[in-house]
Amino acid sequence: MGTSGDSSSDGYATYQVTKSSGFDDSYLSGGIMKVRVRTTGKTTGSLDVYQVTDFASLTITTGSDPSPSPSPSPNPSPTPVPTPTPTPDPSPVVSFTDATIQAGILVGSKLTWGLNWADYDSDGNVDLFVNRHFDLPVLYHSNGNGTFNDVSQQAGVRILTDRHGCAWGDYNADTFLDLYCSSGAQSGNGSKPNQLFKNNTDGTFTDVATELGVVDGPGRGRSVNWFDYDGDGFLDLYMANFMRNGYPSRLFRQDDNGSFSDVASVAGVAITDYLRSSSWSDYNGDGKPDLLVAAGGRLYLHKNRGDGTFTSNSASEAKLTSDKNFGGAWGDFDNDGDQDLFVSRLYGISSTSYQNNPSILYQNNGDGTFHDVTASSGIAVSMANLGQWGDYDNDGDLDLFVVNGRDRNTGNNVADSLYMNNSDGTFTDVADLAEVAGPTSGNGDSAAWADYNKDGFLDLLVTNGAEGTAPGPVALYKNSGNNNHWLELKLKSIGKNTFGYGAKITITADGKTQFRELTDQVVQYGQNDQIVHFGLGSVSNIDAISIKWPNGTVQQLTNLPADQIRTVLLETGNP
């Protein structure tokens, strides 16, 4: 829509409309549209956001004369003038509605340290674990109708501790997800045991951390990841610990008997540093999962050598030079078949104020190196706690949601960002239009995607209870959707790695190819649902799907209809 002229005497404002605006000619007269608007009190970029309240009826003239035809008064004469119906939506942006209370997510405003989506009881509905810091956590079981019940007490997970990052993973290969949670060791002044909640397959859990050797009480736990780093089929466990001399990060290798041994020193990943978070991906495409660890002063990129060891730090070699880091989110935003990286950066301290630090978007060069495309991408955030990739509008390109933290200069919780992928290497922040900018209260903590109501569109849960100020609310944003098509894949295996962590999925539909890598879906302290989601735009049929399982087996599917949740089973060998 073009710029506005002065409001006319009949209360309508006139706008010059461009061809790309998508308004039907019945609303225009020589390219001029007349509307009444009201302010929403919001802005996006440098633009004020208004809501159209009324369209004027216009008499359409033919020819190339760009001047508007005379407009009728708001109370037209009995002469019939067709009134356009239905009223169009002036914005193409897919929006969200706050469904927190409606869904039964009654956490309120509490200190939080992330959240984890997972279908823990394997009933086909994704459930939710909300991690409350220095408080009892909440496990919400999905009723399958868009609502949840708090089952924390009967499930046996209500343990009060200095809890930090958690992650779901099926360590014992019984097809039911287990939950590992880290603790912070009383700010490094004591000892608090981590928990491994073994799923009893009946809706309850038992803490087996001591029995299996993964307590790490003195470690100042931050972020947790499940992955099979050595390719033996068993899920192993990485624990990123914050600075405490003598208690570095841990790599718990799972033994054949189901217990774990810390091999971090032997593997080359025993770091003593101000570690914030961790995530993993096969960034160089050699078939082995690599580990990214974000520390305040640097990034650690542990490249997997394939012999049970990692490089101490390949970040410089890969041209990942960011500092003041909070987390890293992997995703193929340009659909070229390799994983790109968004690094969230929060703040540094000067003698006079807190200095904001722009987050960085690194594009994968396909040769084991990256280059910084932040400036050309249009992504501009400088108080980011976390980024999460997801195709929220189902157009076939990954979008990026960014949780921003509290600005310590102003004391306000910075508005979150939703960067819509423009399919040309650039992004547009549509958080205001999509109604997910979040509250000014609290301190942005974490977020994660899940299609909790199974309508094919990704929904979003955001926590605002990070330390530093009075906590803000937990919010569940339900995606309102559009007419685009979609596909969701659940990977299952009869082997040890039952959820196929490490699988690589490529789909082709109407000439467009998309790539996903199924990790444990943990980014910093937020864990997305383990379903692999693809948006398809207007395409209603998928020509081909290729799944490369962790053991190297390649499975092909062809000619699948869109708009379905499909389970894909690997029946031979361990994935």
Side-chain angles (χ1 to χ4, degrees):
M1 188 182 295
T3 57
S4 170
D6 293 335
S7 297
S8 57
S9 59
D10 59 9
Y12 288 87
T14 59
Y15 288 82
Q16 181 71 41
V17 180
T18 63
K19 182 179 179 180
S20 62
S21 296
F23 287 96
D24 187 85
D25 282 347
S26 61
Y27 296 95
L28 311 178
S29 175
I32 300 296
M33 179 178 66
K34 295 182 70 176
V35 298
R36 284 195 181 100
V37 298
R38 69 174 179 85
T39 181
T40 64
K42 298 180 179 180
T43 60
T44 177
S46 60
L47 301 176
D48 293 325
V49 180
Y50 292 88
Q51 181 182 56
V52 175
T53 61
D54 185 26
F55 285 78
S57 300
L58 296 174
T59 303
I60 305 301
T61 59
T62 60
S64 59
D65 180 8
S67 61
S69 301
S71 301
S73 66
N75 299 305
S77 66
T79 304
V81 178
T83 300
T85 184
T87 300
D89 179 0
S91 169
V93 174
V94 174
S95 63
F96 294 76
T97 58
D98 188 336
T100 314
I101 302 302
Q102 176 187 0
I105 307 298
L106 306 179
V107 178
S109 295
K110 299 282 187 178
L111 286 177
T112 53
W113 204 291
L115 66 132
N116 306 79
W117 291 104
D119 178 12
Y120 75 85
D121 57 351
S122 296
D123 66 351
N125 303 307
V126 64
D127 310 298
L128 174 65
F129 181 82
V130 179
N131 192 4
R132 297 198 295 192
H133 194 210
F134 290 113
D135 203 341
L136 295 172
V138 186
L139 178 63
Y140 287 106
H141 177 260
S142 173
N143 298 317
N145 61 359
T147 66
F148 297 82
N149 284 335
D150 180 352
V151 296
S152 313
Q153 187 66 45
Q154 56 264 46
V157 297
R158 287 177 67 85
I159 295 178
L160 181 63
T161 187
D162 179 15
R163 186 176 291 100
H164 292 157
C166 301
W168 295 99
D170 181 17
Y171 81 91
N172 57 354
D174 64 355
T175 74
F176 285 80
L177 288 164
D178 312 290
L179 182 67
Y180 186 81
C181 287
S182 65
S183 298
Q186 297 173 308
S187 300
N189 297 312
S191 179
K192 285 287 185 179
N194 299 341
Q195 302 95 43
L196 175 52
F197 292 109
K198 175 185 175 183
N199 194 323
N200 298 323
T201 76
D202 61 359
T204 67
F205 295 82
T206 301
D207 183 5
V208 295
T210 300
E211 173 187 340
L212 299 185
V214 291
V215 172
D216 192 29
R220 299 181 67 184
R222 286 301 183 267
S223 173
V224 182
N225 293 103
W226 292 103
F227 71 139
D228 178 19
Y229 81 93
D230 54 359
D232 65 354
F234 293 108
L235 286 186
D236 309 300
L237 183 65
Y238 177 76
M239 178 73 257
N241 283 337
F242 199 68
M243 171 63 78
R244 189 179 190 184
N245 289 329
Y247 302 100
S249 52
R250 308 291 189 187
L251 177 59
F252 293 109
R253 181 185 182 274
Q254 187 174 176
D255 303 320
D256 290 342
N257 62 3
S259 62
F260 292 81
S261 302
D262 180 19
V263 297
S265 294
V266 173
V269 296
I271 304 171
T272 302
D273 202 344
Y274 296 92
L275 304 185
R276 298 284 186 179
S277 66
S278 53
S279 58
W280 61 271
S281 173
D282 179 17
Y283 79 94
N284 56 358
D286 65 357
K288 300 180 286 291
D290 309 297
L291 184 64
L292 180 79
V293 185
R298 64 186 62 83
L299 288 174
Y300 291 91
L301 180 61
H302 297 299
K303 185 166 64 174
N304 195 327
R305 293 191 176 107
D307 60 359
T309 68
F310 295 80
T311 61
S312 60
N313 194 359
S314 295
S316 179
E317 171 191 328
K319 302 187 182 346
L320 300 175
T321 58
S322 174
D323 63 358
K324 300 179 180 64
N325 309 294
F326 239 65
W330 299 97
D332 183 16
F333 78 85
D334 52 1
N335 283 331
D336 66 351
D338 51 36
Q339 293 285 73
D340 309 299
L341 177 66
F342 174 79
V343 177
S344 54
R345 303 170 71 223
L346 195 55
Y347 51 77
I349 304 175
S350 73
S351 59
T352 57
S353 65
Y354 289 85
Q355 302 299 307
N356 297 339
N357 296 285
S359 294
I360 300 176
L361 178 62
Y362 288 106
Q363 189 173 39
N364 196 323
N365 295 323
D367 60 0
T369 67
F370 297 80
H371 66 285
D372 183 345
V373 295
T374 313
S376 61
S377 73
I379 292 177
V381 289
S382 57
M383 290 296 296
N385 261 335
L386 162 143
Q388 287 281 21
W389 295 103
D391 185 5
Y392 85 97
D393 54 0
N394 282 353
D395 67 348
D397 298 293
L398 286 177
D399 311 294
L400 179 68
F401 183 79
V402 179
V403 177
N404 291 309
R406 173 174 166 261
D407 186 333
R408 297 194 183 187
N409 290 316
T410 66
N412 292 329
N413 192 21
V414 178
D416 297 330
S417 301
L418 176 58
Y419 282 103
M420 182 176 66
N421 193 327
N422 298 321
S423 306
D424 60 1
T426 68
F427 295 80
T428 301
D429 186 359
V430 296
D432 281 311
L433 292 174
E435 301 287 345
V436 291
T440 57
S441 61
N443 190 1
D445 171 38
S446 191
W449 298 103
D451 179 15
Y452 81 92
N453 55 358
K454 298 192 291 188
D455 64 354
F457 288 85
L458 292 175
D459 310 295
L460 183 67
L461 193 123
V462 183
T463 56
N464 292 285
E467 292 179 296
T469 188
V474 170
L476 174 62
Y477 296 112
K478 183 172 70 172
N479 195 322
S480 298
N482 56 21
N483 293 324
N484 286 342
H485 298 285
W486 52 274
L487 175 71
E488 293 177 351
L489 299 177
K490 290 183 177 181
L491 303 191
K492 300 291 183 181
S493 169
I494 61 173
K496 303 170 187 175
N497 184 358
T498 55
F499 285 79
Y501 286 3
K504 298 175 181 178
I505 306 96
T506 303
I507 73 166
T508 302
D510 196 30
K512 182 171 184 174
T513 298
Q514 299 181 55
F515 170 77
R516 300 283 190 273
E517 182 180 33
L518 179 60
T519 69
D520 59 0
Q521 303 292 73
V522 172
V523 178
Q524 195 186 8
Y525 316 125
Q527 185 173 22
N528 302 309
D529 187 12
Q530 291 75 46
I531 285 182
V532 184
H533 172 271
F534 293 93
L536 299 171
S538 61
V539 180
S540 59
N541 193 74
I542 300 96
D543 301 313
I545 300 176
S546 176
I547 303 172
K548 186 174 183 179
W549 294 84
N551 69 353
T553 299
V554 177
Q555 195 168 356
Q556 305 282 356
L557 302 171
T558 58
N559 195 28
L560 267 69
D563 304 330
Q564 62 167 311
I565 302 172
R566 186 180 182 95
T567 298
V568 182
L569 178 67
L570 176 66
E571 296 181 342
T572 57
N574 294 316

